[in-house]
Amino acid sequence: RYLRPQGQRVALLATLIFGGIGLQLLSPQIVRAFIDIAQQGGALADLTHNGIYYLTISLIAQGVRLGAAYLTEDVKWRATNWLRNDLADHCMGLDMGFHNEHTPGSMIERIDGDITELSNFFSQFVLRVMANGLLLVGVLVMLYYEEWRIGLIFTLFSLFVFVVMVSTVKYGARFWGEEREASSQLFGGLEEWLAGTEDLRASGGVPYVMDRMQRFTYRLYRAARKAFLAGNLTWGLANLMFTLNLALALGVGAYLLRLEAITIGTVYLIMSYSNTLQRPVIQLARQFQEMQAATASIG
């Protein structure tokens, strides 16, 4: 609904994302050719040609990434600002019974705070989760093309990582829900107390308000600590997967090189593509942490 009016921007963003993925897959192939030419004592002109080609592709890839990042932010803010307007309009149309139960501060946190969480998540989701998911598939296809056994090993490893990452989202979502609720209560209380400052002072209610504020703040602190610990569990698992991925690439490359099934340039290619796999895994892990907060905001 909110992306449809931005069809041209979304189409251009998709083009930049696909183009960037293609350039990332092409770069290691150029370096592999450079290494094999150098090992075989190839002509200096061929090495120079490959070097210039690699630098050109790298510069273009950086420009594509910058353009994709800019467009993602632009699309994100347009869409979520329309969502803010619609949500505020909806709340203004509700009866007084609803507004008596929810303080203005709490409503501001819901309409602006929760949508900001969603805004951050969905912008990163487009640029990182979808793009890195496609990059992951592209890398696996290239590994299958080089050697089917390598492709199969890294496919099974990627599936294992994906299952582990998804399982952590379910674990952390409830903690982020508690954090968003505690934040809403604190902001709701602050608005109410600030609006009634004169009455509170006149009636001697300041100690009571300070006690309530400390309780709300401590509740938010405890909820946020649990939420971030749950999120860091995801990040720690991603680092573990990174180590296993590196060991797997080294082992497979060394084994196939001993069998003379591949060249030293292809060993580099395996290492480079396995390193490229790490980026999607780490980015997906980060976004799964954001997804925990976003899931609570959607609720």
Side-chain angles (χ1 to χ4, degrees):
R1 176 178 173 181
Y2 295 105
L3 291 178
R4 193 175 296 116
Q6 305 185 72
Q8 291 183 344
R9 290 186 181 86
V10 173
L12 179 58
L13 176 60
T15 302
L16 290 174
I17 289 174
F18 280 110
I21 291 170
L23 292 173
Q24 286 186 71
L25 295 176
L26 179 61
S27 295
Q29 297 284 349
I30 300 170
V31 180
R32 190 264 293 272
F34 184 94
I35 292 172
D36 286 341
I37 291 171
Q39 188 186 29
Q40 296 166 10
L44 180 61
D46 292 336
L47 293 173
T48 304
H49 173 76
N50 273 271
I52 294 172
Y53 188 30
Y54 176 79
L55 288 174
T56 303
I57 292 296
S58 298
L59 288 172
I60 294 173
Q62 290 290 348
V64 167
R65 276 194 287 269
L66 180 62
Y70 172 81
L71 266 178
T72 300
E73 289 296 311
D74 184 57
V75 169
K76 170 190 85 169
W77 281 105
R78 290 173 187 269
T80 52
N81 281 341
W82 291 336
L83 176 58
R84 283 184 180 90
N85 290 339
D86 286 353
L87 185 56
D89 183 64
H90 168 75
C91 291
M92 293 295 289
L94 297 175
D95 58 29
M96 287 305 299
F98 173 85
H99 289 285
N100 288 333
E101 293 178 5
H102 299 83
T103 63
S106 175
M107 296 305 301
I108 290 171
E109 175 64 7
R110 289 302 185 204
I111 292 173
D112 187 59
D114 283 346
I115 292 182
T116 298
E117 290 285 350
L118 292 179
S119 173
N120 293 334
F121 169 70
F122 282 117
S123 67
Q124 301 303 319
F125 182 84
V126 171
L127 186 61
R128 293 183 176 173
V129 175
M130 292 182 66
N132 283 301
L134 292 172
L135 177 61
L136 185 67
V137 173
V139 168
L140 293 175
V141 169
M142 297 301 291
L143 288 173
Y144 271 109
Y145 179 77
E146 292 297 329
E147 167 63 50
W148 70 269
R149 289 170 292 185
I150 299 174
L152 179 61
I153 289 170
F154 280 98
T155 298
L156 294 174
F157 178 76
S158 299
L159 288 173
F160 169 71
V161 171
F162 182 76
V163 170
V164 171
M165 293 294 106
V166 169
S167 65
T168 62
V169 176
K170 296 179 181 178
Y171 172 74
R174 68 184 182 92
F175 296 112
W176 284 104
E178 294 171 2
E179 188 270 344
R180 297 306 304 157
E181 179 62 29
S183 176
S184 173
Q185 289 179 354
L186 176 61
F187 278 94
L190 283 171
E191 185 277 333
E192 200 171 30
W193 301 326
L194 290 171
T197 300
E198 294 181 1
D199 292 336
L200 287 169
R201 285 179 173 174
S203 61
V206 173
Y208 169 80
V209 167
M210 294 304 297
D211 177 70
R212 293 285 291 171
M213 183 172 142
Q214 288 178 357
R215 290 177 185 274
F216 283 157
T217 305
Y218 183 63
R219 187 179 302 164
L220 176 59
Y221 159 71
R222 286 175 59 88
R225 182 176 62 178
K226 290 179 182 177
F228 278 103
L229 285 173
N232 284 328
L233 172 64
T234 305
W235 179 243
L237 285 172
N239 280 323
L240 176 61
M241 299 305 158
F242 166 80
T243 305
L244 292 175
N245 182 58
L246 179 62
L248 186 63
L250 284 169
V252 171
Y255 173 73
L256 293 176
L257 186 63
R258 283 188 62 186
L259 296 178
E260 298 183 352
I262 57 175
T263 64
I264 189 69
T266 306
V267 173
Y268 164 80
L269 192 70
I270 295 170
M271 291 296 300
S272 178
Y273 278 150
S274 69
N275 188 54
T276 304
L277 281 175
Q278 294 165 12
R279 194 179 311 141
V281 169
I282 291 175
Q283 294 289 357
L284 286 170
R286 282 179 176 169
Q287 292 315 304
F288 281 139
Q289 183 173 349
E290 295 287 336
M291 189 187 292
Q292 293 169 359
T295 301
S297 295
I298 290 170

